Amino acid sequence: MRVRATARGWTAVWLVVLAMAQAAAFIAVWRVAMHGEVGQWVDTVALTGNRIGQDRIDGPVDRILNAMSIVSLLAATAVIGFIALIRGRIALAVTATLLIGGANATTQLLKYGLVRPDFGIDPERIYAGNSLPSGHATVAASVAVALVLVLPRTVRVFGAFLGAGYAAIAGVATLSAGWHRPSDAVAAFLVVGVWAALAGLVLLITQREQAQVESADAHRVAATVLGIGGVLAVVGCGLALAWLVDLRGTPPAELGRRPLFVAYAGSAAGIAGTMGVVMALVLTAVHRLVPRVKG
């Protein structure tokens, strides 16, 4: 019993650290992308770069984004809750639903509560106001993470890769459609990451002491692949954007095709990489939060 209690204690500490780290990352993204002139410039350059090849991807992008609505979100939430209930996991069904609802409510509150200063960098969208975090990216990521929590261990890894891929594509699609800046999608994924850690704490608290946690159920390889892949993508994004900073004296609309493509492709990698890291962090702890045997 003492060993079990100690393991739960360390898991709780790990989840608190994850929540705080992702909240800190969100604050950093918010400060740099919204309140820094260089950050706003880079965001605008990436958004301007979406016109490269836009004619060929307009159709698929529109289908992906138009499929996301309040109705589809409610339907996905219902399906996720149903999967947990048929597994006899009432607390899991409630927690997964709260994760989706909490993440999306937080995004909407932040979107309308945060103010984007005008540095004269993006005059075309001056009246659009703040768009951080992205609502569409939050919907996709929250559903993906909640699905991983409720899926049986035998198909959990498949669900993690599928969900992370879907959320990453949705996040990039908001950039491709010109709906959101890249920082909006990254911030959305971090909001979901914080809520995933909080949901994990709820599951840990409601977990019975005699629940059996099997180390064999840990998805170490999948988490490592997602984590390393995500970190490499984020590093690639950082290198691409660092190269762009030397051109910051040029208005985004006057930049050539090469810097616009670098900004667009680098930002897309950053969006996908962030989702990969968030999903990897979920996989590192899910076997302790949703044990094989409830007890």
Side-chain angles (χ1 to χ4, degrees), residues 149-170:
L149 290 180
V150 303
L151 283 176
R153 59 185 176 82
T154 53
V155 293
R156 190 176 288 149
V157 168
F158 173 76
F161 278 94
L162 183 66
Y166 169 70
I169 289 171

Side-chain angles (χ1 to χ4, degrees), residues 197-213:
L198 296 177
L201 285 172
V202 172
L203 290 174
L204 203 63
I205 291 170
T206 58
Q207 190 179 106
R208 296 180 182 178
E209 190 66 33
Q210 65 268 35
Q212 296 180 15
V213 176

Side-chain angles (χ1 to χ4, degrees), residues 21 36 54 67 71 74 83 87 97 100 121 130 172 193 215 222 230 281 287:
Q54 193 172 35
V71 174
L74 292 175
I83 293 173
R87 296 182 61 203
T97 302
I100 295 174
I121 295 171
N130 174 52
V172 174
S215 59
L281 294 175
H287 69 291

Side-chain angles (χ1 to χ4, degrees), residues 52-133:
I52 299 175
Q54 193 172 35
D55 293 342
R56 292 189 291 273
I57 63 174
D58 262 349
V61 165
D62 286 343
R63 284 192 290 272
I64 291 171
L65 296 178
N66 290 333
M68 298 181 193
S69 63
I70 294 178
V71 174
S72 63
L73 177 61
L74 292 175
T77 304
V79 170
I80 287 170
F82 179 72
I83 293 173
L85 289 175
I86 61 175
R87 296 182 61 203
R89 311 277 182 133
I90 298 176
L92 179 58
V94 173
T95 304
T97 302
L98 289 175
L99 188 162
I100 295 174
N104 284 279
T106 300
T107 282
Q108 295 306 317
L109 290 172
L110 289 169
K111 188 189 296 288
Y112 293 107
L114 298 177
V115 177
R116 183 181 182 85
D118 177 27
F119 296 130
I121 295 171
D122 192 7
E124 292 183 10
R125 302 174 184 85
I126 186 174
Y127 297 110
N130 174 52
S131 58
L132 182 149

Side-chain angles (χ1 to χ4, degrees), residues 4-87:
R4 172 71 183 136
T6 301
R8 289 181 67 184
W10 280 113
T11 302
V13 170
W14 170 245
L15 292 171
V16 170
V17 169
L18 287 185
M20 294 176 64
Q22 291 175 103
F26 174 89
I27 293 172
V29 170
W30 164 64
R31 290 293 300 174
V32 171
M34 286 181 61
H35 292 271
E37 291 190 40
V38 174
Q40 280 201 16
W41 181 84
V42 169
D43 246 0
T44 304
V45 173
L47 188 55
T48 304
N50 73 344
R51 66 192 183 197
I52 299 175
Q54 193 172 35
D55 293 342
R56 292 189 291 273
I57 63 174
D58 262 349
V61 165
D62 286 343
R63 284 192 290 272
I64 291 171
L65 296 178
N66 290 333
M68 298 181 193
S69 63
I70 294 178
V71 174
S72 63
L73 177 61
L74 292 175
T77 304
V79 170
I80 287 170
F82 179 72
I83 293 173
L85 289 175
I86 61 175
R87 296 182 61 203

Side-chain angles (χ1 to χ4, degrees), residues 215-236:
S215 59
D217 293 342
H219 310 286
R220 295 186 181 90
V221 174
T224 301
V225 170
L226 277 170
I228 292 178
V231 168
L232 289 176
V234 171
V235 170

